[in-house]
Amino acid sequence: MSRDLTHFNEQGRAHMVDVTDKQVSQRTATAYARILMEPQTLTRIREGKMAKGDVLGVAQVAGIMAAKKTSDIIPMCHPLPLTKIDIRFEEHPEVNALDIYGTAKVSGVTGVEMEALTAVSVAALTVYDMCKAIDKGMVITTVCLLEKTGGKSGDFVRGGGSI
Amino acid sequence: MSRDLTHFNEQGRAHMVDVTDKQVSQRTATAYARILMEPQTLTRIREGKMAKGDVLGVAQVAGIMAAKKTSDIIPMCHPLPLTKIDIRFEEHPEVNALDIYGTAKVSGVTGVEMEALTAVSVAALTVYDMCKAIDKGMVITTVCLLEKTGGKSGDFVRGGGSI
Amino acid sequence: MSRDLTHFNEQGRAHMVDVTDKQVSQRTATAYARILMEPQTLTRIREGKMAKGDVLGVAQVAGIMAAKKTSDIIPMCHPLPLTKIDIRFEEHPEVNALDIYGTAKVSGVTGVEMEALTAVSVAALTVYDMCKAIDKGMVITTVCLLEKTGGKSGDFVRGGGSI
Amino acid sequence: MSRDLTHFNEQGRAHMVDVTDKQVSQRTATAYARILMEPQTLTRIREGKMAKGDVLGVAQVAGIMAAKKTSDIIPMCHPLPLTKIDIRFEEHPEVNALDIYGTAKVSGVTGVEMEALTAVSVAALTVYDMCKAIDKGMVITTVCLLEKTGGKSGDFVRGGGSI
Amino acid sequence: MSRDLTHFNEQGRAHMVDVTDKQVSQRTATAYARILMEPQTLTRIREGKMAKGDVLGVAQVAGIMAAKKTSDIIPMCHPLPLTKIDIRFEEHPEVNALDIYGTAKVSGVTGVEMEALTAVSVAALTVYDMCKAIDKGMVITTVCLLEKTGGKSGDFVRGGGSI
Amino acid sequence: MSRDLTHFNEQGRAHMVDVTDKQVSQRTATAYARILMEPQTLTRIREGKMAKGDVLGVAQVAGIMAAKKTSDIIPMCHPLPLTKIDIRFEEHPEVNALDIYGTAKVSGVTGVEMEALTAVSVAALTVYDMCKAIDKGMVITTVCLLEKTGGKSGDFVRGGGSI
């Protein structure tokens, strides 16, 4: 049963799953996104961060605000009183990549995977928006869940080689 | 100058670029997203679509509604009176992939790349949300712009082998 | 063709209809809602209005704000730069009814029927919310379009006896 | 006192009622909406559902998303962490009617009547929007609360003949 | 530590502070705003309130609705299930001032200072909006926190002469 | 007439003024806000900006995003396709003040005063939020319109000594 598509009601239509009787527990989720870009774009972002224009600063505010909007963006997501959102960036110039990590936390009855995934997706889209004048070919090559803890379905950790 | 990071003001802070004097033209953009999943997940989605539960139906409404929220989600995006949004799905069971195409259109002073990209991103996240009970390892492996038309910077078409 | 369900794309999925090439014209729409309630509820609303508590004042602000959110609430509605919204109330104590009229106006490429209908629906729901402590049995007995003008499909006026 | 219009403060102005000291209990509410339409419109909706275009699928997503926005739409509603929303449709071709039932649930300090009512209202408006190209005369003839459970004011069940 | 700028993560970037382990307590906050205007503007507002047009009624609904949107407006604010919002007005014709008091309350893990401050700010901006046709020179001369209770950092009461 | 409170309809209730027939012109508005704080708070903000934590960067994103939400926050404001928003900060350590300037621009039928005022208000509230852990006594001492251009009512420039 727990391996079923749980978002459909007895009419075969989507509904917001009943979580009224699920137990409150502390839940966390961490998601990951990678963006590939031209080398000079990554250089510009890095200089911007150190000097004046802060692409990553804007992207990070965007990701945090989007995480709070998750239940307004993803139709079957429950509204949740998020207690933490954090976004970190890692530059990998050797592969022309910018990596984004987002962690969400809540003490509640459902998990926060979608909040973490929404945070990194919107942060990545914001990076694209702010750099598209110089690099329209940027590609978001990965958006995935890295790990989650808490809840009845147990913890999840992505296998080492699987990103 | 047009190849500069245009989202920063003279204090080096982000701002919403002045487009007051840009000319109104018809603009389109098409974006693409791919999700990889376990074979049985894709099968379930397909059956759902034909029978009762319609994951893609929900994902597509989510993508359309998100496209209309783009300027509320992406900090430096201009509000735009979108005149069209369309989302299409393609199943590629041979590679365990679901492909999403999103097209946005406007008659306005700025492009709709971000609207198309937001549409496919949110559609993909919604697919993840609705299937995560059976497949937490799903990965969004590509989000990118396929093409745009209209505007001073000219048309853009992604090179054939570059997705 | 214009008598077809226009919200579906060639995959049979809903999309936001392409209105890029439709002509800008001045469009208006007026919608109507009726709420039936216990006589003393209507009396209380009236006294409130004259004395202190203003149920209708709150309902009317709610309706106006909701009209502006229409494209965020109704999935396939186009975003529109509304140029006017007005809501009027009529009390009909002889039938224990409160009537609500909402008029929306725009100079644009699509009609404003949904904006007017959303305005009166939300105004009616707000009246319910503010009075439900004394009258949970209130019923919204009619929500409909009274008339529209502008646009290619021509004007519409509801027949006299048809509400 | 509990039979008073509770949304007004001592200045006679509306406020959001203080529920800080109310007890958390499990609360449910079910609301109902009926739409009358031309026979062929109902037929089209039914065919759409079975074949390709799914008016009800879109309406149902719209209703669920609107329920989550209730406190943003209805001015004096408290924000609530909804734990369930479900929407069901019933076709009554014998009276040219489409009936909509919406159930909301929460474990909280205030009831979810407005969430259920908002869900069915927006689902009904969405049906109107998606069919208005072929039937502008559709009328929403009933929006009302069917029942609620939980909370200090006790349960409510609408009398049999009263819809 | 508690006197540190707590909104920054170890990368020096803003994040939403982790409050998962903070204790739930009852928290209140009261904020204040003053608007200076031409004498005749204040007179018009007062007459409006008594007679027909109710500037303060609209401003107060705006303030309440904005308080509920606080976590959507202020980037690092946690979403909170507000249990009370109240706004009061005081006219001070002797100094051509309109004073606004806003009180917010929650049983939660973070304070509601921002909710109270957002409420009075938006109420004041709404007064400006509704009167700007006759008095563009209006100035909001004070927005500040008057007092807060609850939470680990203890109570705060603004010193007598310090507004 | 143009000196009248234009937001009220013939029932004395607020409505969104009809601007359908007003002429499109280019409109700008600049607003101003000042925040007073303890000297060490201002120092911390400055150091943060140069080193790592960027209070002003977050405040500025918040102000820009809020400007785009103006018609969702201020009840009688028309939705507008803003073409520019810019926010600048000036530190005045000699008076322990941080000054915020916000400029909005549109080519449309109504002015953008409220967009500029909302931008600086929300930027100021965000500064408060991000520094309140160390300085709850911060006061926003001024929010006002500095100038506007465009539109039938003509230009407005605040008199030299009047802030």
Side-chain angles (χ1 to χ4, degrees), chain D residues 9-11 13-21 70-81 109, chain E residues 26 49 54 56-57 60-61 64-65 68-69 80-90 105-107:
Chain D
N9 68 6
E10 79 278 12
Q11 286 197 332
R13 296 195 176 284
H15 63 143
M16 210 176 75
V17 180
D18 189 349
V19 296
T20 319
D21 297 324
T70 302
S71 71
D72 193 41
I73 295 175
I74 309 296
M76 301 303 145
C77 266
H78 296 80
L80 279 180
V109 292
Chain E
Q26 193 163 307
K49 195 179 67 180
D54 189 0
L56 302 188
Q60 183 232 31
V61 174
I64 289 172
M65 295 183 84
K68 293 192 281 183
K69 276 191 234 288
L80 279 180
L82 280 182
T83 50
K84 172 186 166 164
I85 316 169
D86 193 12
I87 292 181
R88 288 182 310 106
F89 298 98
E90 272 182 23
K105 216 165 163 181
V106 80
S107 183

Side-chain angles (χ1 to χ4, degrees), chain B residues 13-14 20 71-72 75 77, chain F residues 49 60 68-69 83 86 89:
Chain B
R13 296 196 176 284
T20 319
S71 71
D72 193 41
C77 266
Chain F
K49 194 179 68 179
Q60 183 232 33
K68 293 192 281 183
K69 277 193 233 289
T83 51
D86 193 12
F89 298 98

Side-chain angles (χ1 to χ4, degrees), chain F residues 30-42:
Chain F
T30 299
Y32 166 82
R34 164 164 284 193
I35 320 175
L36 293 188
M37 56 189 73
E38 293 182 26
Q40 60 267 38
T41 308
L42 190 54

